[in-house]
Amino acid sequence: LTRNVYKLMDACYISANRIASPILPILACSIINFSLENGLSGESCCAYVLLGVMRMGMGKFNEAPYYTRIVLAVLDSSPTSSTTIRRARSICYNYLSILHFPFKETEVLLRTLVKEALRYGDTESAYESLRNISALSVFTGEKLSTVMVSLNNVISHMTKVKKMKQSLQLVLLDKLLVTSWMSSDEVGPTIDALIEKHKTTNQAWDMELTLYTRFFVAFWNEEHETALFTLNDLLSMNLKVQLKYVYFKFYHGIFAFQQYRNGEGE
């Protein structure tokens, strides 16, 4: 009975995650409370990953190894043939352990997971991991042209899977960002149009990710005024998240230094 309850709660959690539901943190807390009373299970791991990520957002970066060890210890003792376990492992590698493991190690873990997922026909976990491998390869020194080919392949696969609509939006943002690095193509207006669209749908998660992409495009193109304006929008979405405040101070300092070098300030 307990295992069936876990499976039901996990199904609700994943459905909420796919559509970036605002009740996702509430569901995660419910699963965690249930696990504290009934014992840990592989189906509860996604909730613990979210809790770990939320703690990172509050500035508790020293807790990343703690939550990573908990989640991976449970997953390592669970059957690899389970779709639920592979999905939880993918989420852990993509959003939690990446804050603890070196990028290269995370890439190896994700590639191993992709092979395993495809062997069992679990396309969702495979494509989600491929998306993150593509995004991660930018930071591991891969050529941008190779990254773009990889992103296009992932987009081609994801468009065939209806339930991956949310993930497809993320990889399209990744493509816009890489495009801005590779060429002089103006992607700012495209992202601005997405921002206006998100304002009408009230999807905070989509809005936040799109604003981050707009910020980095502006930062890369040395559009300092646009970058600071976007950063202010990000900060205003949740003043309690310390990580955003660190972003604001860090990049604000870079802009100020660049202006100083250009003779535009003290």
Side-chain angles (χ1 to χ4, degrees), residues 14-21 95 124 128 131 158 161-173 198 203-210:
I14 294 303
S15 297
N17 183 58
R18 285 188 182 129
I19 63 172
S21 171
Y95 300 106
E124 185 175 1
E128 185 69 32
R131 180 189 77 81
M158 281 189 174
V161 184
K162 292 183 179 179
K163 61 184 177 181
M164 298 201 73
K165 184 178 179 180
Q166 184 69 26
S167 296
L168 181 59
Q169 291 182 24
L170 299 182
V171 74
L172 288 172
L173 287 175
H198 295 326
Q203 289 287 353
W205 177 242
D206 290 343
M207 174 66 85
E208 184 170 345
L209 292 175
T210 306

Side-chain angles (χ1 to χ4, degrees), residues 162-261:
K162 292 183 179 179
K163 61 184 177 181
M164 298 201 73
K165 184 178 179 180
Q166 184 69 26
S167 296
L168 181 59
Q169 291 182 24
L170 299 182
V171 74
L172 288 172
L173 287 175
D174 292 339
K175 182 178 178 179
L176 286 172
L177 185 58
V178 174
T179 299
S180 72
W181 291 339
M182 290 181 62
S183 67
S184 58
D185 292 348
E186 181 57 58
V187 300
T190 302
I191 302 175
D192 289 337
L194 287 173
I195 292 173
E196 291 302 315
K197 177 184 176 182
H198 295 326
K199 287 180 181 179
T200 62
T201 58
N202 198 30
Q203 289 287 353
W205 177 242
D206 290 343
M207 174 66 85
E208 184 170 345
L209 292 175
T210 306
L211 283 173
Y212 271 120
T213 304
R214 184 66 183 99
F215 165 74
F216 282 116
V217 168
F219 180 77
W220 178 259
N221 293 331
E222 296 186 0
E223 300 168 358
H224 296 163
E225 185 175 344
T226 300
L228 279 175
F229 181 79
T230 307
L231 205 55
N232 280 322
D233 281 348
L234 275 166
L235 193 66
S236 66
M237 290 184 70
N238 192 339
L239 293 173
K240 295 180 181 180
V241 179
Q242 297 178 17
L243 182 59
K244 291 181 185 177
Y245 188 70
V246 171
Y247 261 79
F248 179 82
K249 286 295 184 181
F250 176 73
Y251 284 105
H252 194 279
I254 291 179
F255 296 142
F257 180 68
Q258 185 62 45
Q259 289 174 336
Y260 169 76
R261 292 185 63 185

Side-chain angles (χ1 to χ4, degrees), residues 92-132:
C92 179
Y93 291 158
N94 294 330
Y95 300 106
L96 180 60
S97 66
I98 192 173
L99 303 171
H100 177 49
F101 295 152
F103 286 164
K104 280 290 187 182
E105 183 176 348
T106 297
E107 184 178 353
V108 171
L109 291 170
L110 286 171
R111 291 191 182 281
T112 301
L113 181 61
V114 169
K115 293 178 182 178
E116 183 181 290
L118 290 176
R119 186 166 67 249
Y120 287 101
D122 183 4
T123 55
E124 185 175 1
S125 295
Y127 298 158
E128 185 69 32
S129 297
L130 282 172
R131 180 189 77 81
N132 284 278

Side-chain angles (χ1 to χ4, degrees), residues 12-200:
C12 293
Y13 175 91
I14 294 303
S15 297
N17 183 58
R18 285 188 182 129
I19 63 172
S21 171
I23 68 170
L24 189 61
I26 298 175
L27 281 173
C29 291
S30 299
I31 295 173
I32 291 170
N33 286 335
F34 186 81
S35 71
L36 293 175
E37 296 176 359
N38 298 276
L40 282 170
S41 168
E43 286 79 4
S44 65
C45 285
C46 288
Y48 278 91
V49 170
L50 180 59
L51 177 61
V53 173
M54 289 172 63
R55 294 293 289 172
M56 302 307 106
M58 296 170 64
K60 306 294 183 180
F61 302 107
N62 59 313
E63 295 181 9
Y66 172 74
Y67 287 102
T68 299
R69 284 195 297 269
I70 289 178
V71 172
L72 292 183
V74 176
L75 293 177
D76 288 343
S77 62
S78 303
T80 57
S81 59
S82 168
T83 301
T84 300
I85 300 305
R86 283 193 300 274
R87 183 175 58 226
R89 194 178 289 279
S90 174
I91 293 173
C92 179
Y93 291 158
N94 294 330
Y95 300 106
L96 180 60
S97 66
I98 192 173
L99 303 171
H100 177 49
F101 295 152
F103 286 164
K104 280 290 187 182
E105 183 176 348
T106 297
E107 184 178 353
V108 171
L109 291 170
L110 286 171
R111 291 191 182 281
T112 301
L113 181 61
V114 169
K115 293 178 182 178
E116 183 181 290
L118 290 176
R119 186 166 67 249
Y120 287 101
D122 183 4
T123 55
E124 185 175 1
S125 295
Y127 298 158
E128 185 69 32
S129 297
L130 282 172
R131 180 189 77 81
N132 284 278
I133 290 172
S134 299
L136 190 62
S137 60
V138 173
F139 302 101
T140 57
E142 189 63 77
K143 292 181 178 179
L144 291 178
S145 57
T146 304
V147 175
M148 182 60 78
V149 171
S150 178
L151 287 172
N152 284 328
N153 286 335
V154 175
I155 291 172
S156 175
H157 289 306
M158 281 189 174
T159 52
K160 301 174 184 177
V161 184
K162 292 183 179 179
K163 61 184 177 181
M164 298 201 73
K165 184 178 179 180
Q166 184 69 26
S167 296
L168 181 59
Q169 291 182 24
L170 299 182
V171 74
L172 288 172
L173 287 175
D174 292 339
K175 182 178 178 179
L176 286 172
L177 185 58
V178 174
T179 299
S180 72
W181 291 339
M182 290 181 62
S183 67
S184 58
D185 292 348
E186 181 57 58
V187 300
T190 302
I191 302 175
D192 289 337
L194 287 173
I195 292 173
E196 291 302 315
K197 177 184 176 182
H198 295 326
K199 287 180 181 179
T200 62

